[in-house]
Amino acid sequence: MKQMTYGTALVTGASSGLGRGLALWLARRGTRVFAAARRQEPLQALAQEARAAGATLEPVEMDVAQADATVERIRQLDAACGGLDLVVANAGMGGPTPGKQFPWEFTKQMIDTNVTGAVATLGAVLPQMVERGRGHLVGISSLAAFRGLPTRAAYSASKIFLSSFMESLRVDLRGTGVRSTCIYPGWVKSEITAKNTFPMPFLMETKDAVERMGHAILRGEPVYSFPWQMTRFMQVLHALPNPLFDALMSRRR
C-alpha cells in the first residue's frame, strides 16, 4: 500500500508517551510538526531533540480540556501554516472511576479531556480540510473501547465515544479527500501505565508502539489495533453474552 506524506501535522498530548514519540517520529520523516501539550518544559526538550536530528518541531501550549481555546488555537495554526495535513488527537488521561466510590470531579476532568477535547481537536479545522479536499484526522482510542471494563467506566466510555465518532466521520468523509483513522493501542509503557499495580499483558515499549502507529497512519489505515494478542482477547470479550462477561469481570475487580 502506498504511504502518504505530510507537510504539516498537529499532535496533541506530545509532552510524553505515545504523543511525544509520534511527534518526533513524524518530524524525523520531514513533517513540520506542531507538538501540543499543557506542560511546556517537556515540549522544549522534545523540540531540542528534534533540532538535533535535523527535524522541524514547534512546541504549542495547549490544554485540550479548554475546548473553545483549543479550537481557536488550532484554527490559528492552520491559517498560519497554509493548512494542516494531519491532526492527531492523542491527548488523554486514564485512571479508575469505580462505581461504588464514584469520583465525579476526576470523571469530569477525564471526559473534558478524552471526549470534548478530542472532538475539539479533530473538528477544529475539519470544514477547512473538506473545502481543501485533503487532510487526515487520527483519533487515538484504546482496546478498552471494545467493552466497558470494571472500575474504568469513564475511561472505557470515553474511548467508546471516540471510536464511534471516528467511525461516523469515516463514512461521512468518503469522497471528500479527507481521511479518518482510529487507532486502538493495548498496554504501552508510559507515565499513565507506570502507575498501574495490576498485570498488563503484552505490555509494549513506547518505541515499538509508535512505529506501528506511525506506519498505520502513513498507510491511511481506517482502523488499526495492536498488539494482535490483546486485540483478539478483547474481541472475544466483546462477543461474550452479558452474564458470562459480568461473571468473568467480577473476578478481576
Side-chain angles (χ1 to χ4, degrees):
M1 185 182 296
K2 182 180 178 181
Q3 292 198 344
M4 294 176 286
T5 58
Y6 305 97
T8 56
L10 168 71
V11 180
T12 65
S15 60
S16 65
L18 290 175
R20 186 186 195 282
L22 186 59
L24 190 57
W25 191 90
L26 290 166
R28 285 173 169 166
R29 281 156 180 77
T31 301
R32 179 187 179 190
V33 175
F34 297 98
R38 292 180 296 111
R39 297 179 296 168
Q40 283 302 288
E41 187 173 340
L43 283 185
Q44 293 298 333
L46 176 60
Q48 185 175 356
E49 184 176 349
R51 284 193 297 271
T56 303
L57 187 148
E58 301 180 29
V60 177
E61 185 173 1
M62 183 185 299
D63 180 0
V64 300
Q66 304 299 318
D68 291 339
T70 294
V71 170
E72 182 178 356
R73 186 71 178 100
I74 294 175
R75 288 176 177 171
Q76 290 172 351
L77 292 173
D78 186 73
C81 73
L84 290 165
D85 297 319
L86 172 67
V87 174
V88 182
N90 168 77
M93 57 180 294
T97 52
K100 292 180 180 178
Q101 300 91 28
F102 190 70
W104 162 245
E105 292 297 334
F106 180 61
T107 297
K108 181 181 183 301
Q109 185 181 4
M110 195 182 305
I111 298 302
D112 287 344
T113 301
N114 295 8
V115 175
T116 310
V119 174
T121 300
L122 294 165
V125 293
L126 178 53
Q128 291 88 330
M129 285 185 169
V130 172
E131 184 177 350
R132 291 191 291 258
R134 61 178 175 83
H136 192 169
L137 300 175
V138 177
I140 308 301
S141 182
S142 166
L143 288 178
F146 282 39
R147 193 110 199 204
L149 300 178
T151 76
R152 293 298 188 275
Y155 183 74
S156 288
S158 71
K159 295 304 182 179
I160 291 168
F161 176 94
L162 182 57
S163 301
S164 295
F165 182 77
M166 297 305 296
E167 186 169 53
S168 294
L169 285 187
R170 186 180 74 240
V171 176
D172 287 347
L173 295 174
R174 285 174 62 90
T176 66
V178 181
R179 292 176 179 262
S180 165
T181 294
C182 189
I183 297 180
Y184 300 82
W187 296 113
V188 178
K189 289 185 179 180
S190 67
E191 290 182 7
I192 294 177
T193 57
K195 301 175 184 178
N196 294 339
T197 57
F198 51 83
M200 293 176 282
F202 308 106
L203 179 67
M204 295 186 65
E205 296 291 337
T206 304
K207 182 179 178 181
D208 295 335
V210 166
E211 282 286 333
R212 296 192 188 199
M213 291 169 56
H215 286 296
I217 291 170
L218 295 187
R219 291 193 303 268
E221 299 275 6
V223 176
Y224 182 71
S225 59
F226 68 95
W228 69 266
Q229 299 95 329
M230 277 302 297
T231 299
R232 296 294 179 269
F233 176 72
M234 294 305 296
Q235 287 171 337
V236 169
L237 284 187
H238 181 73
L240 288 179
N242 287 342
L244 185 55
F245 172 80
D246 293 354
L248 178 63
M249 289 296 103
S250 293
R251 297 176 183 176
R252 299 176 62 87
R253 287 185 299 181

